[in-house]
Amino acid sequence: MSTKLSLDALESWLWESANILRGSIDSSDFKNYIFGLLFLKRFNDVFEERIVQLVRDEGLTGKEAEEEVQDKWGRFPVSARWHELIARTENIGEALDKAFATIEANNPELQHVLTATQYGDKRVLSDGTLQRLLRHFNQYKLGNADLYKADMLGDAYEYLIKQFADDAGKKGGEFYTPKAVVQLVVELIDPQPGHSVYDPTCGSGGMLVESAHHVSNLPDGTIMGKPNVLLFGQEKNLGTWAIAKLNLYLHNMRAEIERGDTLVEPKHLEGDYLKTFDRVIANPPFSAKSWWAPLELANEAAQDSDKKPKAPNYKQVSDPYGRFVYGIPPRGYADLAFAQHMLASLKADGRMGIILPHGVLFRSGEEGKIREGLLFGTDTASGNQPGDLIEAIIGLPSALFYNTGIPACVLVLNKRKPVALKGKVIIIDASRDYFEGKAQNSLRSQDIARIASTHKAAFDQQTEVENYCRVVTLDEIRSNDGNLNISRYIDNGETEETVNVAATLSQLAALAEEEAQIDARLNSYLAELGLLEVDSE
């Protein structure tokens, strides 16, 4: 095909592939199968494109060109190639599984990524369904010359991730944060060329991709056409981890994405210590429960089977990486465990942005203690930890996320606040600016621009905006006992109706009287109809 594939055509073509799978498998699993085939078609077409180029430019024979491409880019056996797979009529799933295993074996950075999904179980996917799927994927070529721009596949992939999150509804929140929210947090932490960026709960990799896009648009933001930024992530769920790896691969971006539970088993280490980064960004699962697996397991093992199980005592959490220096969050709320992990993963002049539920701003107990530590520091008995780490708190509208209607906030922490901002916290109430959708609300580009520019003006010049943004002193926060509930600091400009208590009480008494009269009339009608037993006494 001579015409280049447009993004719109690519997106609708890929989304149609989901319709072929409907009815065969659960919609929340579509993505794993479709993404694998998308990758394979792309891998195959780029391989063929390189061969054609060598034959054309250097006059090699097809066989010589094939050898040269494999020497340079890794082995790609004939059995794994597209023309072989599409010619099959049976055991297609098994052949796909073998093809993916072979590509992995020859490309260490893709290890376990492609085989995370199994195609060979005929109870799940029949040969007929797979044949239709392969034919559908055969409609377009996906080599570099066939696309408008090299990372267009990455954009289409992002579109698909969003579509699948919409389709999966509540479960979508586990792997996808709405793009506008991601753009906002990236704007706030503002990664720069040459920086390292780390997401400890990276889902399908959207925050890392967006950070790289942000850097690319800055002066010196690219090197040899690639974003001048180092990307790192960790993800617990195998399928989601595989999607993140492919997402970055299809964006032509390199990233070190590890698999595992970040709280219990952080994978980005230097020796026995946590590796540190210039920027850390995350949307961890809101208020994750039972978050310290070793304690949960030890507790289960020690339970007496006859008695009601006792909850483990989280004061016993012992972290070999010394991350919970401000306190150990309670069992029911992992929010400030993630925040402290991120803080421990920041360089001495680093900045981090984390999306959390509003509860972290005002819940008391151990969480209140941690919040006070982040604001005011800790005393000698608690290890003399520094305070004044919170740069900004941004209250977001409710219902922005898939898995919850609750409003969230963005916390920006900064280990090196500018002098003019020391002892102060920027608080922005952005909860009223959004586009109201049927299933969920969303931030518009003007909402993001307003938050980002207000934050920048407050950061640079301590500028305030009535009913929207204040630069609050730590003294004022201390007078509120460390409670950071946004409504304590920002009046939303709506005048509350004053209630006249006496008048309201007399109104209620009149209504009660009226209700008694209506009941009496109703009962007399029911008695006349013989539907009510009348007391003869």
Side-chain angles (χ1 to χ4, degrees):
M1 287 179 65
S2 56
T3 53
K4 295 204 174 204
L5 186 57
S6 74
L7 185 58
D8 285 352
L10 180 61
E11 285 176 350
S12 59
W13 171 59
L14 290 172
W15 185 239
E16 280 162 28
S17 60
N19 293 327
I20 295 172
L21 288 173
R22 275 187 207 286
S24 299
I25 54 173
D26 188 34
S27 69
S28 59
D29 292 329
F30 284 176
K31 56 186 183 307
N32 305 15
Y33 293 95
I34 288 169
F35 290 157
L37 289 176
L38 172 62
F39 170 84
L40 183 60
K41 184 75 167 73
R42 163 80 171 161
F43 193 86
N44 181 86
D45 292 355
V46 170
F47 176 80
E48 287 179 359
E49 183 178 56
R50 285 171 174 152
I51 291 170
V52 169
Q53 215 169 346
L54 282 176
V55 170
R56 190 187 60 219
D57 299 349
E58 297 184 21
L60 302 181
T61 66
K63 194 127 194 70
E64 289 166 343
E66 200 173 301
E67 275 309 306
E68 193 163 316
V69 170
Q70 291 196 87
D71 285 344
K72 188 171 177 188
W73 304 95
R75 311 303 301 164
F76 187 29
V78 176
S79 61
R81 292 182 204 170
W82 193 260
H83 62 80
E84 279 287 310
L85 294 164
I86 200 157
R88 294 186 75 99
T89 53
E90 52 184 26
N91 300 336
I92 299 169
E94 278 178 37
L96 280 168
D97 286 341
K98 275 196 189 130
F100 286 128
T102 311
I103 294 172
E104 268 187 21
N106 292 298
N107 293 273
E109 78 271 24
L110 293 171
Q111 207 177 3
H112 307 307
V113 173
L114 305 169
T115 49
T117 301
Q118 294 293 311
Y119 292 77
D121 188 341
K122 287 186 182 168
R123 291 166 305 181
V124 179
L125 284 176
S126 67
D127 278 324
T129 302
L130 279 172
Q131 239 178 335
R132 282 181 64 207
L133 210 48
L134 287 173
R135 276 198 205 118
H136 181 77
F137 270 93
N138 208 38
Q139 287 172 27
Y140 292 106
K141 284 196 102 45
L142 299 176
N144 289 325
D146 306 302
L147 307 174
Y148 265 113
K149 53 176 189 157
D151 71 348
M152 185 168 108
L153 261 188
D155 295 345
Y157 193 78
E158 271 182 61
Y159 159 83
L160 272 186
I161 292 172
K162 181 191 177 330
Q163 293 297 101
F164 288 128
D166 284 345
D167 219 47
K170 198 172 161 126
K171 280 177 87 172
E174 291 173 18
F175 61 87
Y176 181 77
T177 303
K179 190 166 182 175
V181 181
V182 176
Q183 285 170 330
L184 170 65
V185 185
V186 170
E187 283 284 317
L188 292 168
I189 65 169
D190 193 22
Q192 296 295 303
H195 270 177
S196 55
V197 179
Y198 165 57
D199 181 345
T201 58
C202 71
S204 47
M207 287 187 156
L208 295 174
V209 169
E210 200 52 53
S211 297
H213 284 326
H214 175 88
V215 170
S216 296
N217 292 324
L218 298 170
D220 302 321
T222 57
I223 294 179
M224 317 255 302
K226 290 198 181 235
N228 179 11
V229 65
L230 296 162
L231 303 173
F232 301 84
Q234 185 164 337
E235 170 55 39
K236 192 173 174 179
N237 177 294
L238 172 67
T240 307
W241 168 83
I243 289 171
K245 297 272 284 188
L246 288 183
N247 192 9
L248 285 132
Y249 187 94
L250 292 171
H251 272 100
N252 290 335
M253 293 174 185
R254 291 293 308 247
E256 287 182 36
I257 300 181
E258 300 290 346
R259 229 192 99 220
D261 179 338
T262 304
L263 290 180
V264 173
E265 209 184 347
K267 293 284 177 73
H268 290 288
L269 304 172
E270 275 171 353
D272 296 336
Y273 298 93
L274 291 182
K275 191 172 168 60
T276 55
F277 307 91
D278 297 295
R279 296 288 184 268
V280 182
I281 183 169
N283 176 16
F286 286 175
S287 303
K289 319 236 169 305
S290 310
W291 50 270
W292 194 256
L295 196 56
E296 296 291 335
L297 289 167
N299 186 58
E300 281 166 25
Q303 292 293 346
D304 194 334
S305 54
D306 315 336
K307 295 192 185 121
K308 190 166 174 281
K310 278 212 319 262
N313 176 7
Y314 265 58
K315 294 237 180 324
Q316 294 170 350
V317 166
S318 160
D319 173 38
Y321 303 102
R323 290 168 292 179
F324 308 131
V325 289
Y326 292 93
I328 297 162
R331 184 184 186 217
Y333 300 100
D335 306 309
L336 291 174
F338 284 110
Q340 288 188 88
H341 165 78
M342 290 167 71
L343 196 58
S345 303
L346 266 189
K347 288 185 178 173
D349 58 352
R351 198 183 205 183
M352 61 174 259
I354 181 172
I355 301 165
L356 291 173
H358 269 256
V360 298
L361 301 176
F362 51 79
R363 287 194 293 249
S364 55
E366 196 65 19
E367 288 182 289
K369 195 183 114 195
I370 296 168
R371 192 170 57 246
E372 284 180 24
L374 296 172
L375 287 163
F376 314 122
T378 64
D379 55 22
T380 319
S382 308
N384 263 345
Q385 298 300 328
D388 200 8
L389 290 165
I390 301 178
E391 173 189 307
I393 298 160
I394 293 96
L396 298 175
S398 56
L400 288 179
F401 301 92
Y402 286 95
N403 44 356
T404 175
I406 64 167
C409 60
V410 181
L411 245 58
V412 179
L413 271 63
N414 189 336
K415 281 194 175 172
R416 193 170 289 169
K417 279 159 80 166
V419 174
L421 208 60
K422 285 209 191 308
K424 299 179 181 126
V425 177
I426 300 165
I427 298 182
I428 296 175
D429 179 4
S431 61
R432 295 185 303 283
D433 300 339
Y434 58 90
F435 171 76
E436 194 167 343
K438 275 211 298 272
Q440 68 190 98
N441 299 327
S442 55
L443 291 178
R444 299 159 300 191
S445 53
Q446 66 258 39
D447 304 328
I448 299 170
R450 185 182 184 198
I451 297 166
S453 60
T454 304
H455 168 262
K456 188 163 172 33
F459 186 84
D460 294 338
Q461 279 109 25
Q462 288 71 62
T463 312
E464 299 189 325
V465 179
E466 196 178 356
N467 301 332
Y468 187 72
C469 169
R470 281 193 60 210
V471 180
V472 180
T473 64
L474 287 183
D475 287 340
E476 184 180 341
I477 294 170
R478 196 180 258 112
S479 72
N480 277 317
D481 298 322
N483 185 322
L484 290 172
N485 202 352
I486 293 170
S487 59
R488 290 200 172 206
Y489 302 94
I490 296 182
D491 176 5
N492 66 12
E494 291 167 10
T495 50
E496 302 239 337
E497 215 182 316
T498 48
V499 177
N500 181 331
V501 179
T504 306
L505 285 172
S506 67
Q507 231 176 332
L508 285 171
L511 285 169
E513 176 64 28
E514 205 179 322
E515 190 184 11
Q517 288 171 0
I518 292 168
D519 276 351
R521 270 167 54 206
L522 182 62
N523 287 343
S524 71
Y525 293 145
L526 290 171
E528 275 178 44
L529 293 166
L531 295 171
L532 187 75
E533 300 268 330
V534 182
D535 246 351
S536 53
E537 280 172 40

